[in-house]
């Protein structure tokens, strides 16, 4: 968690001793009360409020390319690709770089209109940021969190593993916080979404760029 997250959380949380069973509710209320500087967003991941800056240009470009590819494949049907929206599971909150859900998702909007229920999400994707904490969050903490929520497909586009890699995870096992199926390829090697409304969408160099050393 960043220093900003610590400071904001301390300001927002009540000054009482809280039993561990109530931690999710305390974090939820603190998250809702947060007022962040422009250019930052907050998520609740594995018992912490994590504050991070919005992505740099290369990060946003990759996410936009993926969203466009998904929307093209979904073809204006009942599903669409979203960006910059809260995905909520119980008292957990995530803001994936891209995700796929119903175009008309009103019945899945959560309390106070804060976001969409994770149960309605068919695919999430994260573009890994350069700092160590962000890398750990996308590779490990969010992998477990998304699996616990039963989100069918998780795509990780990672500039910082080897010379660039794409990992596609599927078949979540919620009770074990893991995905049973995993495919990892290097940038430049095509990999397809294995299931769901985006099944068959290919992630290749047109989205990720080429291997780092070849740039």
């Amino acid at each position: 968690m960043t220093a900003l997250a610590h400071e904001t959380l301390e300001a927002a949380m009540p000054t009482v001793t809280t039993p561990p069973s109530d931690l999710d509710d305390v974090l939820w209320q603190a998250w809702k009360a947060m007022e962040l500087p422009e250019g930052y967003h907050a998520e609740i991941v594995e018992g912490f409020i994590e504050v991070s800056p919005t992505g740099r240009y290369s990060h946003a470009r990759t996410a936009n390319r993926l969203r466009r590819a998904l929307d093209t494949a979904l073809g204006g049907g009942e599903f669409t690709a979203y960006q910059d929206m809260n995905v909520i599971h119980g008292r957990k909150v995530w803001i994936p770089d891209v995700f796929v859900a119903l175009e008309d998702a009103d019945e899945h909007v959560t309390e106070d209109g804060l976001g969409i229920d994770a149960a309605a999400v068919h695919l999430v994707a994260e573009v890994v940021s350069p700092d160590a904490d962000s890398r750990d969050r996308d590779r490990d903490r969010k992998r477990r969190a998304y699996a616990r929520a039963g989100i069918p497909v998780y795509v990780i586009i990672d500039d910082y593993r080897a010379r660039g890699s794409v990992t596609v995870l599927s078949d979540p096992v919620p009770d074990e916080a893991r995905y049973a199926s995993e495919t990892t390829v290097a940038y430049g090697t095509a990999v397809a979404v294995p299931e769901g409304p985006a099944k068959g969408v290919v992630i290749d160099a047109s989205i990720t760029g080429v291997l780092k050393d070849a740039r």
Side-chain angles (χ1 to χ4, degrees), residues 58 62 127-128 139 157-165 187 208 210 212 215:
S58 61
T62 299
V127 180
V128 177
R139 293 171 182 170
I157 298 176
D158 193 343
D159 262 1
Y160 306 98
R161 174 158 286 166
R163 297 168 60 197
S165 68
Y187 282 7
T208 65
V210 296
K212 280 187 170 184
R215 290 177 180 174

Side-chain angles (χ1 to χ4, degrees), residues 40-137:
Y40 287 85
H41 62 238
E43 302 172 283
I44 302 176
V45 184
E46 293 198 326
F48 292 91
I49 293 179
E50 300 199 26
V51 175
S52 56
T54 53
R56 59 181 65 191
Y57 170 75
S58 61
H59 179 284
R61 179 183 59 192
T62 299
N64 280 328
R65 287 173 175 171
L66 177 60
R67 179 188 56 78
R68 287 197 302 269
L70 289 166
D71 267 340
T72 297
L74 294 168
E78 61 178 328
F79 293 95
T80 192
Y82 291 89
Q83 288 179 282
D84 195 29
M85 186 190 299
N86 298 321
V87 172
I88 298 175
H89 178 62
R91 290 294 187 260
K92 309 296 188 295
V93 184
W94 313 300
I95 308 174
D97 289 319
V98 183
F99 69 91
V100 171
L102 287 168
E103 168 72 31
D104 184 6
D106 288 355
E107 65 182 290
H108 301 290
V109 174
T110 58
E111 60 183 285
D112 301 326
L114 291 173
I116 190 169
D117 194 292
V121 174
H122 294 264
L123 175 149
V124 289
E126 301 287 359
V127 180
V128 177
S129 296
D131 64 282
D133 189 62
S134 294
R135 282 179 279 169
D136 290 343
R137 179 172 62 245

Side-chain angles (χ1 to χ4, degrees), residues 14-38:
T15 55
V16 295
T17 302
T18 307
S21 60
D22 294 336
L23 177 61
D24 284 349
D25 285 333
V26 172
L27 290 171
W28 177 255
Q29 295 302 325
W31 175 79
K32 290 202 296 183
M34 294 177 77
E35 295 183 9
L36 295 176
E38 185 176 352

